[in-house]
Amino acid sequence: MRQIAKGDTTQATGLDHFAIVLPNPGALGAAHKHINQVATVVNRFKNGYSKGFEVVDPEGNGIEFIIDEAIEQFHEADSYNWQDEDTKTIKAEELERHVDKDYSGVPSGSSVGHVQFRIRDLAATEQYLVSGLGFQIKPAAAKDQIFLAAGDYHHHIGITLRVDAKLPVATPTSLGLDYVNFVVPSAGGLDAIIANLNEQGISDYQYDEAHHYLMIAGPNQLTLWFTVA
């Protein structure tokens, strides 16, 4: 987190929400039981591959807590529906069914599953993330969204198009997202990203070859960092 003395609260391009993937249904239930007592849960949901709930922090950032049934610890790869984006509302009881202990904070084994951005130019952002950075398009729930992923995951990045093309681009004083860091498995993988950016004629990035560090912002000033594991 980075505190901004006089943050701009005007909604701009940037973070819509991010998802914390919890390691099992018991952890999800315990998180919901605790958070429901101290904050307002704005949504409880499930679809073909995940289940969870969402809260909104004091500065308007959405935070989802989910379990992801599309990963190996829950099911084999062919036992869930990758394309089932039909999201349904569920009750608190369904989330808390497997609670076996009190919540004591985000447990070990949790991770950030995806981030969802607000943008104003869907085509330009898709070109930058797909053609330039090599993310793959995945099935999405609505026509004003694009889901993108590396490999077989359902989505690491979600993009929502705001119909208002006048949505301002985020500035250094905008509240919300500062950057997202992606960790690639090797220096060779990072070199491949750089080579592809150059091939696509995308040059507005910063690359520290000595420390294997890439920073790029793209058409909506959504700052992405790529580092080596």
Side-chain angles (χ1 to χ4, degrees):
M1 293 184 184
R2 179 170 61 91
Q3 184 171 344
I4 300 172
K6 293 183 178 180
D8 182 1
T9 58
T10 302
Q11 192 173 71
T13 58
L15 182 68
D16 181 79
H17 72 262
F18 66 95
I20 298 174
V21 181
L22 299 172
N24 54 63
L28 176 65
H32 179 271
K33 185 176 181 179
H34 171 77
I35 293 171
N36 194 38
Q37 295 173 349
V38 298
T40 300
V41 175
V42 298
N43 190 21
R44 302 173 181 88
F45 59 88
K46 68 176 180 179
N47 55 33
Y49 52 78
S50 67
K51 178 188 299 184
F53 65 96
E54 182 179 5
V55 294
V56 178
D57 75 10
E59 295 180 350
N61 302 303
I63 306 171
E64 291 183 353
F65 292 81
I66 66 173
I67 54 170
D68 196 337
E69 297 178 321
I71 57 180
E72 292 179 359
Q73 67 194 75
F74 292 106
H75 299 292
E76 296 296 327
D78 60 356
S79 64
Y80 58 88
N81 188 347
W82 281 107
Q83 301 189 30
D84 185 1
E85 287 290 342
D86 183 17
T87 301
K88 302 175 182 178
T89 301
I90 59 175
K91 296 183 178 180
E93 292 78 10
E94 183 168 349
L95 291 171
E96 296 181 8
R97 185 175 300 159
H98 300 287
V99 174
D100 54 7
K101 59 182 178 180
D102 292 337
Y103 185 71
S104 58
V106 177
S108 174
S110 301
S111 63
V112 176
H114 68 266
V115 291
Q116 181 135 333
F117 297 140
R118 290 188 305 270
I119 64 164
R120 62 179 184 178
D121 188 333
L122 195 65
T125 303
E126 177 184 348
Q127 191 274 339
Y128 144 71
L129 290 170
V130 176
S131 300
L133 293 173
F135 286 97
Q136 300 172 14
I137 297 178
K138 300 292 183 177
K143 293 180 179 179
D144 64 350
Q145 292 182 332
I146 296 176
F147 282 175
L148 304 168
D152 289 336
Y153 196 63
H154 52 79
H155 69 292
H156 292 102
I157 296 177
I159 296 174
T160 300
L161 175 65
R162 283 291 302 271
V163 175
D164 183 4
K166 296 180 181 179
L167 184 71
V169 173
T171 70
T173 61
S174 297
L175 299 179
L177 183 73
D178 194 6
Y179 64 88
V180 176
N181 185 43
F182 291 93
V183 180
V184 298
S186 67
L190 194 56
D191 290 341
I193 294 174
I194 298 294
N196 192 63
L197 288 170
N198 293 335
E199 184 178 330
Q200 296 296 323
I202 299 173
S203 59
D204 59 337
Y205 63 83
Q206 298 178 29
Y207 181 43
D208 184 334
E209 186 174 2
H211 298 93
H212 302 295
Y213 162 87
L214 167 68
M215 183 176 72
I216 185 167
N220 291 275
Q221 294 301 305
L222 305 173
T223 302
L224 305 181
W225 292 1
F226 293 83
T227 54
V228 177

